[in-house]
Amino acid sequence: MDISRNRLRSLAGAGTIAATLALGLTAAPAAPAAPQAAKPAAPAAKTGPQAAQAPAGSPVAINGQLTVCGTKLCNQYGKPIQLRGMSTHGIGWFPNCYTNGSLNVLANDWKADVLRVSLYIESANYGYLRDPVAYTNQVHDLIEKASARGMYVIVDWHLLGDGNPATYGDSDPWTHIASAKRFFKDIAERHKNKNNVIYEIANEPNGTNWQGQRVDWWTIKSYAEDLIPYIRQFDADAPVLVGTPDWASFGVSSSSGQFNETEVANNPLQIPNIMYTFHFYAASHGQNYLDALSRAADRIPVFVSEFGTQNHLGEGSNNFPMTQSYLNLMATKKISWVNWNYSDDHRSGAAFKTGTCAAGGPVAGTSSLKEAGIWIRDKIRTPDNFPTV
């Protein structure tokens, strides 16, 4: 494959911004850099009007600013840690699920370390493009709520391919690069003094671009090479999560079946403090996915920013034994994870029974939880291991 030509091809449909950038992306990528130092220098404490005031004993109070060291996510003491928590559903659909009361439950009853805030892009009536100001303000609000409770917060640009097929949707991250820059600039400028924010810049790249070509790693990589330095003009310290091909599966979900983690691991980004995402749904994704995750985590930093105990649609029966195999692996290798999803959606993957949020609860305890919600709450509530020395 002609790497430089492939990268230019992936930029061609991204509009004038990407086309201009293509002039600087004609060279083949440099050889992979040496692994990052295992014990990075502790970042300076962030101060200012938007600095997080985490409650004593909370995950953020203990771990402070996170950095990527080698293949691990490390706390302010340079010690590898594992975060465990929940993802919202699309925040436009279920605002009643993300109240002060429900987030108190997530932080104090579930004892979650991290909240992933998922902002869809093109979805009719509930995507960022429908009302950028309103949705950005909703994300601002949820960042403040998570911060006040001492949780880390992942700001998820929920790229999925949920738009009009006639315009090839947003499965190619370059499609809405201008909007992504506007959104992340707004978020990063306001919250740059917080030490608990993580940026996820492309949820699940997949499918084909406007030319009918696979949204491959070169497409995603070039997008990350443009967007991450842009974000870091405003927030230099926050870790960034980068989506991987074919629905964040390292390519394992490709229709051809010919891709795996080597597509990314052999050609990593030459940017510090980043991790690569992997998503799985245990009733659909079996041993071959688990093996790919295990191999990838030995070579590159991996964050499982979304998973479910059901099928790939978040529906159907729960496969708890297979999910437990994933959890065991992630615990052993200190791979952080976030479960989909903290809402009362009608699907089996939602934590709460349908109508719970709309009725105002109850959300504490287990009486309003679905089977998956009861199971995952129990897994999150087990004690954390956050070493400080």
Side-chain angles (χ1 to χ4, degrees):
M1 178 185 295
D2 183 332
I3 292 173
S4 60
R5 178 153 35 94
N6 191 45
R7 296 177 75 187
L8 286 169
R9 180 199 70 201
S10 71
L11 296 175
T16 57
I17 294 174
T20 301
L21 289 170
L23 296 175
L25 291 172
T26 56
Q36 299 170 32
K39 295 187 69 174
K46 293 188 175 183
T47 60
Q50 291 296 329
Q53 301 298 318
S58 66
V60 175
I62 295 170
N63 293 295
Q65 179 67 57
L66 303 179
T67 55
V68 179
C69 53
T71 59
K72 308 299 182 186
L73 184 64
C74 293
N75 63 15
Q76 62 183 327
Y77 305 102
K79 303 297 183 182
I81 64 167
Q82 181 194 44
L83 300 179
R84 299 171 298 171
M86 295 295 294
S87 177
T88 69
H89 201 300
I91 57 176
W93 282 286
F94 300 99
N96 292 335
C97 290
Y98 313 120
T99 63
N100 285 319
S102 69
L103 294 180
N104 283 339
V105 167
L106 184 62
N108 302 319
D109 179 28
W110 289 48
K111 302 186 185 303
D113 307 317
V114 57
L115 172 70
R116 180 182 187 236
V117 177
S118 293
L119 176 61
Y120 281 69
I121 302 168
E122 289 188 349
S123 295
N125 302 321
Y126 294 112
Y128 172 85
L129 298 181
R130 309 298 171 181
D131 195 336
V133 173
Y135 281 111
T136 300
N137 286 337
Q138 191 176 5
V139 174
H140 284 320
D141 179 63
L142 289 171
I143 291 172
E144 297 295 351
K145 287 177 176 177
S147 301
R149 290 157 179 79
M151 291 189 289
Y152 290 93
V153 57
I154 298 171
V155 179
D156 166 31
W157 185 244
H158 203 77
L159 179 111
L160 185 62
D162 57 328
N164 182 352
T167 58
Y168 62 89
D170 63 3
S171 56
D172 181 341
W174 278 105
T175 304
H176 297 303
I177 181 64
S179 292
K181 286 185 172 182
R182 175 184 174 182
F183 171 70
F184 282 111
K185 178 179 184 290
D186 289 341
I187 297 300
E189 278 193 318
R190 178 174 297 191
H191 303 286
K192 62 186 177 183
N193 291 320
K194 289 184 171 66
N195 61 357
N196 65 320
V197 177
I198 300 168
Y199 301 103
E200 184 173 1
I201 62 173
N203 166 59
E204 290 185 351
N206 67 85
T208 57
N209 64 14
W210 67 286
Q211 293 177 312
Q213 297 156 333
R214 176 175 174 259
V215 177
D216 58 14
W217 173 235
W218 297 111
T219 303
I220 302 164
K221 184 181 181 184
S222 61
Y223 165 81
E225 287 169 336
D226 182 57
L227 184 56
I228 295 173
Y230 180 81
I231 293 171
R232 287 187 171 158
Q233 295 178 80
F234 312 103
D235 187 347
D237 300 325
V240 176
L241 308 183
V242 181
T244 62
D246 302 298
W247 296 274
S249 73
F250 286 120
V252 182
S253 283
S254 64
S255 58
S256 68
Q258 63 179 324
F259 298 101
N260 58 32
E261 76 286 347
T262 59
E263 184 180 15
V264 177
N266 289 349
N267 301 282
L269 283 157
Q270 304 303 304
I271 299 175
N273 210 23
I274 62 101
M275 306 189 85
Y276 304 88
T277 64
F278 183 83
H279 295 177
F280 70 87
Y281 283 82
S284 294
H285 303 141
Q287 191 65 42
N288 61 325
Y289 283 76
L290 181 64
D291 291 344
L293 173 60
S294 180
R295 294 190 303 265
D298 289 339
R299 298 185 61 188
I300 55 178
V302 179
F303 196 120
V304 174
S305 60
E306 182 180 314
F307 78 90
T309 57
Q310 314 77 30
N311 68 20
H312 67 284
L313 299 175
E315 300 175 345
S317 301
N318 296 290
N319 188 334
F320 293 135
M322 189 69 217
T323 309
Q324 188 62 55
S325 294
Y326 278 102
L327 294 188
N328 292 343
L329 174 72
M330 292 188 290
T332 298
K333 300 198 175 190
K334 287 194 177 292
I335 302 171
S336 296
W337 54 257
V338 177
N339 179 256
W340 182 270
N341 70 81
Y342 198 67
S343 83
D344 63 352
D345 178 32
H346 69 277
R347 299 172 182 85
S348 57
F352 295 105
K353 296 175 182 176
T354 305
T356 297
C357 299
V363 292
T366 60
S367 64
S368 295
L369 297 179
K370 293 177 183 172
E371 184 182 23
I374 293 172
W375 194 85
I376 201 65
R377 171 182 176 269
D378 182 62
K379 303 303 177 181
I380 294 174
R381 280 168 57 89
T382 57
D384 288 311
N385 178 19
F386 293 149
T388 58
V389 292

